[in-house]
Protein backbone atom coordinates (compact mmCIF):
# COMPACT_ATOMS: atom_id res chain seq x y z
CA UNK A 1 0.00 0.00 0.00
CA UNK A 2 1.40 3.43 -0.88
CA UNK A 3 2.41 5.83 1.85
CA UNK A 4 2.26 9.62 1.88
CA UNK A 5 5.58 11.33 1.18
CA UNK A 6 6.18 14.97 2.10
CA UNK A 7 8.40 17.12 -0.12
CA UNK A 8 9.72 19.67 2.36
CA UNK A 9 11.01 21.85 -0.48
CA UNK A 10 7.47 22.35 -1.76
CA UNK A 11 5.74 22.83 1.58
CA UNK A 12 4.60 26.43 2.17
CA UNK A 13 3.01 26.57 5.63
CA UNK A 14 2.06 30.22 5.10
CA UNK A 15 -0.50 28.98 2.57
CA UNK A 16 -2.33 27.12 5.33
CA UNK A 17 -4.71 29.03 7.61
CA UNK A 18 -2.73 30.55 10.51
CA UNK A 19 0.23 28.41 9.49
CA UNK A 20 -1.40 25.24 10.73
CA UNK A 21 -0.81 22.36 8.33
CA UNK A 22 -4.14 21.56 6.71
CA UNK A 23 -2.99 18.03 5.95
CA UNK A 24 -2.22 17.56 9.62
CA UNK A 25 -5.75 18.66 10.55
CA UNK A 26 -7.36 16.33 8.03
CA UNK A 27 -5.19 13.24 8.51
CA UNK A 28 -7.40 10.64 10.22
CA UNK A 29 -4.48 8.86 11.93
CA UNK A 30 -2.42 11.90 12.96
CA UNK A 31 0.53 10.89 10.83
CA UNK A 32 1.59 14.55 10.46
CA UNK A 33 2.57 16.93 13.20
CA UNK A 34 4.12 20.37 13.64
CA UNK A 35 6.22 21.74 16.44
CA UNK A 36 4.67 25.19 15.95
CA UNK A 37 2.46 26.98 13.41
CA UNK A 38 4.36 27.97 10.24
CA UNK A 39 6.82 25.10 10.75
CA UNK A 40 7.17 22.51 8.00
CA UNK A 41 5.38 19.42 9.36
CA UNK A 42 6.88 16.01 9.99
CA UNK A 43 5.28 12.94 8.47
CA UNK A 44 5.40 9.53 10.10
CA UNK A 45 5.06 7.10 7.20
CA UNK A 46 4.60 4.21 9.59
CA UNK A 47 1.30 5.59 10.82
CA UNK A 48 -0.05 6.44 7.35
CA UNK A 49 -3.00 4.34 6.18
CA UNK A 50 -2.73 5.43 2.56
CA UNK A 51 -6.04 7.34 2.41
CA UNK A 52 -4.58 10.22 0.28
CA UNK A 53 -6.61 12.90 2.06
CA UNK A 54 -3.46 14.93 2.73
CA UNK A 55 -2.57 14.89 -0.97
CA UNK A 56 -5.96 16.35 -1.82
CA UNK A 57 -6.00 19.11 0.79
CA UNK A 58 -2.39 20.38 0.72
CA UNK A 59 -2.55 23.76 -1.06
CA UNK A 60 1.10 23.56 -2.12
CA UNK A 61 0.87 20.01 -3.56
CA UNK A 62 3.76 19.12 -1.27
CA UNK A 63 2.54 15.58 -0.53
CA UNK A 64 2.30 12.64 -2.90
CA UNK A 65 1.72 8.90 -2.55
CA UNK A 66 4.59 6.52 -3.22
S1 LIG B 1 -0.85 21.42 4.10
FE1 LIG B 1 0.86 21.25 2.71
S2 LIG B 1 1.64 23.35 2.48
FE2 LIG B 1 0.38 23.32 4.32
S3 LIG B 1 1.88 22.93 5.96
FE3 LIG B 1 0.96 20.96 5.36
S4 LIG B 1 2.38 20.08 3.85
FE4 LIG B 1 2.86 22.28 4.06
S1 LIG C 1 -2.44 9.47 3.25
FE1 LIG C 1 -4.05 9.67 4.82
S2 LIG C 1 -3.24 8.59 6.61
FE2 LIG C 1 -1.50 8.98 5.25
S3 LIG C 1 -0.62 10.90 6.00
FE3 LIG C 1 -2.07 11.39 4.36
S4 LIG C 1 -4.02 11.83 5.38
FE4 LIG C 1 -2.68 10.74 6.84
Amino acid sequence: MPNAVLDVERCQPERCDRGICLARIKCPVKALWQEDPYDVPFLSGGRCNGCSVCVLVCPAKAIHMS
Side-chain angles (χ1 to χ4, degrees):
M1 185 166 59
N3 271 358
V5 178
L6 171 66
D7 181 348
V8 296
E9 301 287 326
R10 293 189 76 146
C11 172
Q12 298 174 283
E14 66 275 13
R15 292 181 65 175
C16 290
D17 187 30
R18 288 169 289 126
I20 298 171
C21 176
L22 187 57
R24 182 193 114 182
I25 294 170
K26 297 292 186 182
C27 176
V29 296
K30 302 194 188 314
L32 292 128
W33 75 100
Q34 279 172 306
E35 294 276 336
D36 289 300
Y38 297 102
D39 282 354
V40 173
F42 297 94
L43 196 157
S44 174
R47 297 185 77 149
C48 176
N49 71 8
C51 74
S52 298
V53 165
C54 56
V55 176
L56 296 175
V57 300
C58 174
K61 307 244 178 287
I63 307 175
H64 69 276
M65 304 304 292
S66 181

